[in-house]
Amino acid sequence: QVQLVESGGGLVQAGGSLRLSCSASGTIPSINIMGWYRQAPGKERELVATMTTGGGTNYANSVKGRFTISRDNAKNTVYLQMNSLKPEDASVYYCNLVWSSVGMNFWGKGTLVTVSS
């Protein structure tokens, strides 16, 4: 129904920047929430940032001021600009889409972000 494909992960030095992209395809609800979650080994998956179709945003406290989420509704694409990266940011980052009217979640396969110190 909805397919999500992430790109942009890689290796970066602490203090550096990286930009992730996620494109959705299939049957896309006109009103939805797209965003990013991350999961490191041995840890629970956690919210990083989300953005509604209308432009409302939500960020984890740990990334506020460093990460910026944006989206292009016409392209069904969401981005995550990550600046001032820290070793604790290293994780597999997953793209997420929520069909707001029914609370249905869709997930990408993830993209690996590695931060070296």
Side-chain angles (χ1 to χ4, degrees):
Q1 189 171 11
V2 176
Q3 297 81 46
L4 303 172
V5 180
E6 305 102 330
S7 63
L11 174 64
V12 65
Q13 297 287 115
S17 298
L18 208 59
R19 184 175 177 85
L20 306 182
S21 299
C22 172
S23 295
S25 61
T27 303
I28 311 300
S30 58
I31 300 175
N32 62 71
I33 303 170
M34 294 186 72
W36 297 91
Y37 290 71
R38 65 188 182 187
Q39 186 170 26
K43 297 184 178 180
E44 296 182 345
R45 187 171 297 187
E46 64 176 353
L47 179 147
V48 177
T50 63
M51 192 170 192
T52 67
T53 312
T57 59
N58 185 42
Y59 292 91
N61 288 332
S62 60
V63 306
K64 288 182 179 178
R66 299 188 298 120
F67 292 9
T68 302
I69 189 170
S70 62
R71 62 185 291 170
D72 185 334
N73 292 340
K75 297 181 178 180
N76 292 316
T77 300
V78 64
Y79 307 91
L80 185 68
Q81 179 66 47
M82 304 184 292
N83 298 326
S84 301
L85 282 161
K86 304 175 180 179
E88 52 262 44
D89 294 319
S91 285
V92 176
Y93 283 71
Y94 295 91
C95 183
N96 170 257
L97 184 149
V98 178
W99 186 347
S100 301
S101 64
V102 297
M104 184 177 294
N105 280 275
F106 300 90
W107 297 93
K109 294 181 179 180
T111 185
L112 179 64
V113 172
T114 303
V115 183
S116 63
S117 60

